[in-house]
Amino acid sequence: MNYRLIKFNVFADARGKLVPLEAEKDIPFEIKRVYYIFDTLPDETRGKHSHKKLQQIIIAIDGSCSIMLDNGKERKKIRLNRPDEGLYIVEGIWREMNEFSYGCKLLVLASEHYDPDEYIRDHSKYIKDANR
Ligand code: TYD
């Protein structure tokens, strides 16, 4: 399964903690888009898609959630619960996010601008393509 948990550098002092994220250094791609998800609900599922070429890093900057990854052959469930760790997902991986803690906030860094045509949202089509 093509994913990686990346541990970020934390600068901690008496005032608190800071994590800098630099494109092509801490983050393995050029960041073209940033978005964040908040007001999440424990019973809802987000995602349910894969991308044709987009790579991204998902960070639970507050709270926690589960992310199910599926490459068409195997599935992996990951619990994201640290603001100093990012889940790096390359293109072609189906993802579903659920089991959000109340108030969980996700920060997402993406390698591409938003393009709805770049999504695969039909799971049976995804499985067919993945096993071709
Ligand atoms: P959606 O893809 O359903 O989010 P998730 O992957 O978390 O399930 O996106 C929700 C809405 O936001 C949808 O109408 C598309 C819009 N959107 C943008 O306009 N730009 C973006 O960068 C993203 C990620 C979503």
Side-chain angles (χ1 to χ4, degrees):
M1 179 78 70
N2 215 347
Y3 76 90
R4 190 150 51 95
L5 280 166
I6 300 179
K7 181 84 172 56
F8 303 128
N9 274 333
V10 179
F11 291 86
D13 59 36
R15 300 165 299 166
K17 293 177 180 159
L18 181 152
V19 173
L21 300 176
E22 292 201 29
E24 293 163 300
K25 289 184 185 167
D26 311 288
I27 303 300
F29 50 80
E30 185 194 342
I31 300 165
K32 289 212 183 133
R33 179 164 52 106
V34 174
Y35 60 94
Y36 50 94
I37 295 172
F38 62 105
D39 276 355
T40 50
L41 294 171
D43 295 334
E44 296 291 341
T45 298
R46 304 195 63 107
K48 292 188 178 172
H49 62 252
S50 79
H51 290 281
K52 293 178 190 167
K53 64 173 197 168
L54 176 144
Q55 303 188 6
Q56 65 186 188
I57 289 201
I58 306 174
I59 308 161
I61 51 169
D62 192 14
S64 58
C65 79
S66 298
I67 305 194
M68 193 279 291
L69 301 177
D70 173 355
N71 66 1
K73 294 175 184 68
E74 54 171 336
R75 290 179 159 216
K76 177 93 189 166
K77 182 175 164 177
I78 291 151
R79 188 81 187 156
L80 270 190
N81 57 8
R82 298 179 62 110
D84 59 354
E85 179 179 86
L87 175 63
Y88 174 43
I89 312 175
V90 300
E91 67 279 1
I93 306 244
W94 186 272
R95 84 288 313 274
E96 298 184 8
M97 290 96 89
N98 60 15
E99 298 175 335
F100 292 96
S101 65
Y102 271 104
C104 168
K105 293 167 193 65
L106 298 182
L107 177 66
V108 185
L109 313 174
S111 67
E112 306 296 330
H113 293 130
Y114 180 63
D115 174 7
D117 294 336
E118 193 271 333
Y119 283 63
I120 298 168
R121 291 190 178 274
D122 178 340
H123 191 254
S124 52
K125 181 182 180 313
Y126 168 74
I127 292 292
K128 219 183 271 175
D129 290 351
N131 289 296
R132 194 172 283 162

